[in-house]
Each structure stands twice: as C-alpha cells, then as structure tokens.
Amino acid sequence: KHFRFTILALFASCASPVWADPYTRANGEGRIIVNGIFNNASKAFDDDGDTANIDDYKQNNIYIIGEYGITDDITAIVAPSFRHIKQDGGESDSGLGYTDVGLKYRIAHGDDWTASVQGLVRIPGEKYADPLAQVGQVGMEYDIKACLGHSFCLDKKLFVTAELGYRFRSDDPPNEY
C-alpha cells in the first residue's frame, strides 16, 4: 500500500490540466497520461447470471497513454498497459497487457469544438495461465472511433464529448460497438 501511495504522489506532483479526448495535439506537442485500475473480487456471475462466491481475485492494471502531434491535425498514439493478477489458490502473474498503437485525425474544428476520427491496433500482451474471462483476451483487436468534443469556459478545461466506435476482434469474444 505504501508503494501505491508513493506512485500516486509522484504522478500527482507531475499532473497538469487534461484536454478533451477528441482534440489532437499541436504539431510537436506531446503528453503522457498514466492511470491505474485496481480490482478485487470475491464474487462473480455464474452461467445463469447469478452471483456466486469465488476465490479472491485481484487484478491491478497500469495504463500509459502517450500522444504526439505529428501535425496539428494528426496525433500519434502509443499506449502500453501492465498488469498484475493474483487469485487465491492460484499463482500470481505479472506482465505486459494490450499495447494500443494508432492515429487520431482532426476532420473539422472551431474555436470551442472539434471532430476527429481515430484508429488503433491493439496488440495483445502476455497470456495469463488461468483462462478467466476478466483477465482479458489474447487476440488482435482493431478499434475505429468517431469523436465530437465541445469545450466550455476556463481555457477548454471543461468539456463534453460524444464518441461512437467499433472494435473488431480476431478471436473470442465477439466484436463490439
């Protein structure tokens, strides 16, 4: 727990305002966003959709999202993820999760709005030995997304976004939108 607090304090000391996702980075401008999701479960859904007791399951994920403006209209995206998984009665496992690589293209914009499209290739990381659904998949995935963003006052620090996307999967589970 002290390690998590130290990491959180380190990242908080480097924090800066966040721009809405549909916005592209300016030519030569970059940003890195680091976030984490920490899961702990002692129940899961069975085949009938009812909750059932399971061995305690913990999954910690760290996501690093790097963006760089190739031009004012095109932003390159690289986003690796790292995970640590532990299930009571099983082995723990750590390793590389999905890595997203792609581009965001601004198709139109005004003073307080923008519209963009984005395409990502999702490269699977290491496969966890236990085939639990919540661990993640190991097939290639391809994401396409259309984004619309509108910013409000305070130098674009308040914003609303709408996104529509589709994920093609090379393996199970099925594609999704």
Side-chain angles (χ1 to χ4, degrees):
K1 291 188 178 188
H2 295 294
F3 176 73
R4 287 184 192 166
F5 178 75
T6 303
I7 294 296
L8 180 63
L10 175 66
F11 289 134
S13 69
C14 301
S16 63
V18 176
W19 299 90
D21 185 60
Y23 289 89
T24 54
R25 302 304 116 224
N27 182 19
E29 176 186 293
R31 75 173 177 180
I32 296 175
I33 299 172
V34 179
N35 64 36
I37 299 175
F38 307 102
N39 299 310
N40 185 14
S42 59
K43 294 188 182 287
F45 293 107
D46 64 16
D47 291 339
D48 297 323
D50 297 321
T51 58
N53 291 327
I54 61 169
D55 292 332
D56 277 355
Y57 171 85
K58 295 177 180 148
Q59 181 174 349
N60 301 324
N61 296 285
I62 301 292
Y63 301 92
I64 303 169
I65 303 164
E67 296 183 349
Y68 183 78
I70 298 171
T71 69
D72 287 348
D73 293 328
I74 300 173
T75 296
I77 302 166
V78 177
S81 64
F82 304 91
R83 67 171 182 249
H84 176 76
I85 300 165
K86 172 73 173 128
Q87 184 173 14
D88 286 354
E91 296 181 25
S92 65
D93 188 61
S94 296
L96 184 65
Y98 272 102
T99 297
D100 297 349
V101 178
L103 296 172
K104 184 184 307 177
Y105 176 66
R106 180 173 64 184
I107 55 177
H109 68 97
D111 289 340
D112 59 357
W113 67 274
T114 192
S116 62
V117 292
Q118 176 177 298
L120 295 174
V121 174
R122 303 192 77 221
I123 304 162
E126 300 172 26
K127 182 176 180 177
Y128 181 55
D130 192 336
L132 294 169
Q134 61 264 50
V135 171
Q137 316 316 320
V138 292
M140 290 288 291
E141 296 181 354
Y142 310 91
D143 286 5
I144 56 172
K145 176 167 61 170
C147 310
L148 181 63
H150 176 72
S151 58
F152 300 95
C153 59
L154 300 176
D155 236 359
K156 297 183 182 176
K157 292 178 185 169
L158 297 175
F159 54 85
V160 63
T161 65
E163 301 176 1
L164 178 63
Y166 196 81
R167 177 170 292 166
F168 300 91
R169 292 192 167 115
S170 65
D171 205 354
D172 289 331
N175 300 338
E176 65 184 358
Y177 61 91

